[in-house]
Structure formats: structure tokens, C-alpha cells
Amino acid sequence: GCAVRTILSDARAIAELRGCPDDRILGASHRLDLDAAAAEAAVRAGARWFGAIGSHKRARALQAQLRASVGASLVSASPAGQHRTQIEIPAGIDVSARGPEEIATAIAARLTQDLREMARPVFAIVPAAGASRRMGLPKMLLHDGHETLLARAQRLALTVADGVLVVTGAHHALVAAELDEDVQQVQAGDGRGGLGASLLAGLRGAPRGARIIVVLPDMPGVNAQHLHDLVTAARS
């Protein structure tokens, strides 16, 4: 998250803590009022995760107190412009943990799992292998007065992705001449396999475990904010 901190305070001070969407907050006080205040701070900040140590009975009591303090809408859905906070009580991976050492291990394992999930790279696949037989010329090379549709798709994809794969096929030479130096080219035969073949070729070229976002060149209404929102939603 933004910082690693241990908070020792009263309920009001805890509820007023400021956080960010990358924070993971653990309530470990064994006091319902303090853990509820920490959960309230997490939800209001749109923190990524809130966990508390306790039984399922305690979880129900904490959820009820949280709904009373911040409202059911904030508990069940994300505030505008923020991530939904994942609330997990008892906190940690379910390994039937007993005792402080096992509980701490289960919580550490959950946070490690989440950090690895966040670190997965995002790769964009831009399908540009089609023959555009109905149009009679390569659709992705249509020009809007500033750039081709393919150039635009690459530019937008590069703003959100760790890597961009452009799938070529039919009109290979013409398409290759439009490729940005920062993208990777993947071939899908002669393009007769359709969009499915293009997607499979792109998936084979992406790193294993990467998140995949598909950016179609012939959708000029899609902008950088749309792609950014998709990536943000996937990471949350």
C-alpha cells in the first residue's frame, strides 16, 4: 500500500484515517469498536482490502455495525470513482488456522497472493490480420485525417499495457509498415481464420499469466479512459 503502519488509537481517530485504493487494512484489536472503525476507514477510503481477526459470529456483528455507520450502499458497492473494498473476516486464507502463528501465516499468505495478483502484467492484443474482403481495402489502415485506425489503436494500447501485440495476417506488408517500434508483431497465417484465430495467436504471444485486454482498431469511439477503466476494474 501507501505505507506500512501500525495504528494504536481510539475509535474516532481510527475512523478518520485517510487511505488510498492500494491500501490493505487489517483490524487486529480484538475489540469490535476499534475493528469497526478501521473497517469504516477502509470503506470510505476505497481501500483494496480490509481484514479482521475473529469468528464468523464476530464477522456478522462487524458487518452490521459497519452498515450502520457508513450505510449499506458503501458496504455492498464501491463509492463513485473508487474500488470496492474487499472485506474478509476471518482474515486470511482458510487453512483452519489455530493460534496466533497459524493465523498470522494465513493472513500473510492472503496478502502475498493479492500482491502477486496486482503485479500480473497487462498485455494488449490488437487484431489486424483480417482481409477486409467486404470493404475491399485494409479497414485498419483507414485514415481519420490524423492517423490510421491501427496507429490509433496502438497508441491507446501503449498508454495502459505493459506490452502490445499486433496480430498480422492478410495485407501483412502494409500492416507491418504501420507498426510502432514499441509493439510486438505476431502472425496469424493469412487472416482467413477470423477474429478467433487472431486472438489465439495473440494469446500465444503473451506471457503466461498476463492479463489480456483486446483493443479492436475499428472502434474509434473507444478512448484511453475506457481502456484505463477496464484495466483498473480488472486489478480490483
Side-chain angles (χ1 to χ4, degrees):
C2 299
V4 178
R5 295 177 289 167
T6 301
I7 306 297
L8 301 172
S9 189
D10 58 79
R12 176 176 291 182
I14 291 175
E16 293 174 353
L17 285 173
R18 296 185 179 276
C20 73
D22 286 334
D23 276 342
R24 298 157 181 84
I25 298 175
L26 174 68
S29 70
H30 296 289
R31 278 179 50 182
L32 185 63
D33 61 331
L34 296 185
D35 285 355
E40 180 180 341
V43 171
R44 290 192 185 280
R48 182 175 175 83
W49 178 88
F50 172 79
I53 298 171
S55 64
H56 293 289
K57 180 180 179 181
R58 180 182 175 82
R60 290 191 292 272
L62 188 52
Q63 288 272 12
Q65 189 159 332
L66 184 58
R67 287 191 175 91
S69 62
V70 301
S73 62
L74 289 187
V75 177
S76 61
S78 61
Q82 295 180 334
H83 298 302
R84 176 176 175 171
T85 299
Q86 180 186 356
I87 298 175
E88 187 174 85
I89 314 167
I93 293 177
D94 185 7
V95 293
S96 301
R98 295 181 180 179
E101 292 83 2
E102 291 185 2
I103 292 172
T105 299
I107 293 170
R110 166 67 75 212
L111 295 176
T112 299
Q113 181 186 62
D114 189 57
L115 287 167
R116 287 181 175 172
E117 177 70 12
M118 281 284 290
R120 286 170 59 193
V122 174
F123 268 67
I125 296 175
V126 181
S132 300
R133 286 185 292 272
R134 287 173 296 178
M135 179 164 283
L137 70 160
K139 182 166 51 174
M140 71 289 293
L141 298 183
L142 290 175
H143 208 281
D144 66 1
H146 301 283
E147 59 190 344
T148 63
L149 292 179
L150 178 58
R152 182 180 187 276
Q154 293 175 89
R155 177 171 56 80
L156 296 183
L158 286 166
T159 66
V160 299
D162 299 298
V164 177
L165 304 137
V166 177
V167 183
T168 64
H171 309 293
H172 169 77
L174 292 174
V175 171
E178 279 289 308
L179 297 187
D180 189 284
E181 61 180 10
D182 293 323
V183 308
Q184 177 182 339
Q185 181 185 165
V186 180
Q187 286 192 268
D190 59 7
R192 294 180 183 177
L195 186 57
S198 294
L199 292 177
L200 285 174
L203 289 170
R204 293 190 190 102
R208 184 175 182 180
R211 301 177 192 276
I212 301 297
I213 183 169
V214 181
V215 182
L216 301 177
D218 59 350
M219 296 186 70
V222 173
N223 60 39
Q225 188 62 50
H226 294 143
L227 301 185
H228 179 268
D229 289 346
L230 280 173
V231 171
T232 299
R235 284 185 163 142
S236 66

